[in-house]
């Protein structure tokens, strides 16, 4: 069991892969609040997060990384504020193959940026889809260092634990 507790908010647009990532990373059973999508989201998938996802991973013996996934839909954005209370860092996810997702990420990134000085990292999913934006290009779009952006398939994410450890273990 880890000793230091770090709270990481996982946020980003609908269908970016937040719930999938937390399910893959967590070393304990995950609490999810996926409900049947009723609007345009139902065209891409069945379930959407309406409140939060929660999981814990242990990237090292000294660290408990508590993962709080937000809903992606703006109509549930009141949860973004609630879940960010006491956070140590924010991990943004975006579907790199979807123009709408990329536009929405800019909004969400700025939304959190205005409210926090916390460490931020951006993961761009769907690198397996042709034409998906690459991490360097996304960094340029957001006007941030390419060190803060990486490509990810949320369905196989175990390898990012060392990255999360190095980026978020020293946060206060
Ligand atoms: N092809 C591909 N599919 C991916 C990748 N990453 C995630 N997915 C899929 O994308 C979907 C993402 O769904 P969720 O994890 O529910 O997305 P979410 O961000 O939690 O969405 P909301 O809760 O609705 O905001 C799942 O079907 C994943 O299997 C990727 O890199 N490539
Ligand atoms: Mg979700």
């Amino acid at each position: 069991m880890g000793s230091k507790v770090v709270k990481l908010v996982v946020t980003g647009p609908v269908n970016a892969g937040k719930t999938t990532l937390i399910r893959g990373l967590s070393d304990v059973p995950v609490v999810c609040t996926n409900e049947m999508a009723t609007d345009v989201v139902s065209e891409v998938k069945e379930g959407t997060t309406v409140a939060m996802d929660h999981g814990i991973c242990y990237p090292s013996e000294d660290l408990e990384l508590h993962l709080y996934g937000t809903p992606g839909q703006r109509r549930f954005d009141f949860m973004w504020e609630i879940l960010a209370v006491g956070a140590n860092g924010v991990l943004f996810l975006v579907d790199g193959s979807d123009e709408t997702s990329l536009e929405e990420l800019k909004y969400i990134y700025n939304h959190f940026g205005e409210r926090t000085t916390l460490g931020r990292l951006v993961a761009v999913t769907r690198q397996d889809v042709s034409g998906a934006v690459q991490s360097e290009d996304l960094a340029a779009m957001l006007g941030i260092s390419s060190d803060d952006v990486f490509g990810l398939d949320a369905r196989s994410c175990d390898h990012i634990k060392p990255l999360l450890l190095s980026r978020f273990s020293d946060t206060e």
Side-chain angles (χ1 to χ4, degrees), residues 14-20 45 48-49 72 126 128 153-155:
V14 168
N15 202 35
K18 306 176 293 295
T19 299
T20 305
K45 62 186 184 131
T48 186
T49 302
R126 305 290 200 302
D128 53 308
D153 187 331
R155 299 167 299 177

Side-chain angles (χ1 to χ4, degrees), residues 121-143:
L121 204 51
V122 180
V124 51
T125 61
R126 305 290 200 302
Q127 295 296 290
D128 53 308
V129 177
S130 77
V133 75
Q134 305 288 298
S135 54
E136 294 78 13
D137 297 328
L138 182 60
M141 276 171 59
L142 293 172

Side-chain angles (χ1 to χ4, degrees), residues 155-166:
R155 299 167 299 177
S156 60
C157 52
D158 238 27
H159 64 286
I160 71 163
K161 285 185 181 180
L163 174 65
L164 298 178
L165 178 64
S166 70

